[in-house]
Amino acid sequence: MKGVTKFDEYPNVKLLLERLEPTQLDELIPLLSKWLDEADGTKNLVKKLDDDLADAQNGANLSKAFKEKPELVDAWEVVNFFSGGVRKDVDILNLINENENLKNICNLYRNGHKSKLYSNLSEFDEAIINHYTKYSSDVRSIAGGFYSSYKNKLDDALEKLPESLNNRDLVYGGYNFSDELISQFINGNFIEFGDVLSTTRLESVAEDFLIIKGGNVYVEIIDSYNGKLIKSLSSLSYEKEVLFVSDALFKVKGIPVAIPHPNGVEGQTVLKVILEQQ
């Protein structure tokens, strides 16, 4: 079988590959081969996978077990994590390989320098949330043609986080919105941003964004019952950042009004909008 012979030194890996379907081989062999050929220690992952397979072998049912529940073997989880779920989303694999910042964060988990904080999140889930907190304003350009996959993975990760707000919580945001979006802020209108929405529990952080980024809209969100406080995963924990998934729906409450810009420049204003999560 093409490409499998190079794993002769790892008989259990070779056995697994011989039992996988051609489409799976086309995705996995290049990745595992790349690890074998690199000199940065990734070859150890193939050895780790081989050792774990030796522990988990179940005769002719080995391949079936992996297809049904790949998390049975932790090294397979490493493969699945580092490839971003290569069997399902090759775009994420390409994004990781092309973006040094995301790859570096992934490597912290992959090499054991960073431990998972949430049992129901994968290492990749935590890595992509952390990456977003560092590069949120540039993430669309960073992800490029893979942005849709990036956004979907980020949404999936956020959905797994426990709800950290209740309907008495108030969160704030400072943004630089387009005129087209601003025109939709009419009392009673429903708004769906289509992207993950970053907010904060601190008014001062939202005001700082307006000052630093030259923002034009100040938002208060009431009844923010399922925003996800990601302080423990954030690279900027002091911001007390709260994220809402990209399909979160909000309703405009009241008539937006112009208020003095927090930069203190006389005569300069921002639009204050009050939203209620639906």
Side-chain angles (χ1 to χ4, degrees):
M1 192 176 297
K2 186 178 179 180
V4 173
T5 54
K6 73 183 306 175
F7 296 95
D8 286 346
E9 184 182 346
Y10 305 97
N12 299 302
V13 171
K14 183 178 178 182
L15 178 63
L16 172 65
L17 294 174
E18 287 173 344
R19 291 175 176 170
L20 291 180
E21 297 170 1
T23 54
Q24 293 173 306
L25 288 175
D26 289 342
E27 295 167 343
L28 277 177
I29 285 183
L31 178 65
L32 295 177
S33 297
K34 182 173 181 288
W35 287 358
L36 279 179
D37 296 336
E38 287 186 346
D40 63 355
T42 51
K43 182 175 181 179
N44 293 335
L45 288 177
V46 182
K47 176 66 165 61
K48 169 75 169 148
L49 179 58
D50 194 69
D51 290 343
D52 286 341
L53 285 169
D55 294 336
Q57 266 194 59
N58 186 23
N61 292 324
L62 177 63
S63 178
K64 182 174 183 290
F66 268 78
K67 289 178 184 178
E68 293 178 349
K69 197 173 183 183
E71 66 271 23
L72 284 173
V73 176
D74 57 6
W76 182 270
E77 276 287 27
V78 173
V79 174
N80 204 37
F81 150 63
F82 190 67
S83 64
V86 63
R87 292 168 298 155
K88 299 178 182 177
D89 196 338
V90 177
D91 280 353
I92 287 292
L93 172 61
N94 292 331
L95 173 63
I96 293 172
N97 285 335
E98 291 184 13
N99 182 260
E100 285 300 314
N101 294 321
L102 181 54
K103 189 172 185 177
N104 289 339
I105 295 170
C106 288
N107 281 336
L108 291 177
Y109 286 96
R110 187 167 66 90
N111 297 326
H113 299 303
K114 195 171 183 64
S115 300
K116 268 197 326 120
L117 297 177
Y118 293 91
S119 59
N120 62 324
L121 270 67
S122 70
E123 286 88 350
F124 185 78
D125 290 333
E126 294 195 6
I128 199 167
I129 291 173
N130 180 262
H131 178 268
Y132 180 82
T133 67
K134 286 185 177 181
Y135 306 103
S136 57
S137 60
D138 299 314
V139 73
R140 187 179 283 273
S141 61
I142 287 172
F146 309 122
Y147 178 70
S148 178
S149 294
Y150 182 100
K151 182 179 73 171
N152 290 340
K153 290 293 184 183
L154 181 59
D155 275 341
D156 289 344
L158 291 174
E159 290 282 9
K160 296 176 187 177
L161 281 173
E163 291 183 1
S164 49
L165 302 178
N166 59 58
N167 59 13
R168 292 185 301 276
D169 281 311
L170 183 64
V171 296
Y172 312 90
Y175 310 99
N176 198 353
F177 285 146
S178 67
D179 291 340
E180 181 182 1
L181 181 55
I182 290 174
S183 69
Q184 298 178 45
F185 291 127
I186 300 171
N187 185 30
N189 264 14
F190 291 94
I191 303 290
E192 187 176 300
F193 290 95
D195 279 313
V196 169
L197 185 69
S198 172
T199 67
T200 173
R201 281 183 162 175
L202 301 175
E203 291 180 81
S204 60
V205 172
E207 291 172 352
D208 285 346
F209 181 91
L210 290 169
I211 294 170
I212 295 170
K213 299 293 185 179
N216 55 9
V217 176
Y218 178 75
V219 170
E220 291 184 358
I221 300 177
I222 59 177
D223 293 337
S224 51
Y225 58 90
N226 71 352
K228 303 301 177 75
L229 181 66
I230 46 87
K231 177 180 177 181
S232 58
L233 296 174
S234 175
S235 60
L236 302 168
S237 60
Y238 66 88
E239 289 188 344
K240 294 188 177 180
E241 189 172 9
V242 175
L243 300 182
F244 293 86
V245 294
S246 59
D247 63 354
L249 185 65
F250 303 91
K251 183 178 181 180
V252 180
K253 300 289 288 185
I255 300 172
V257 296
I259 62 172
H261 200 290
N263 63 14
V265 177
E266 186 176 354
Q268 191 167 344
T269 62
V270 296
L271 187 68
K272 180 179 179 179
V273 180
I274 298 177
L275 301 177
E276 179 182 61
Q277 191 183 4
Q278 301 298 294

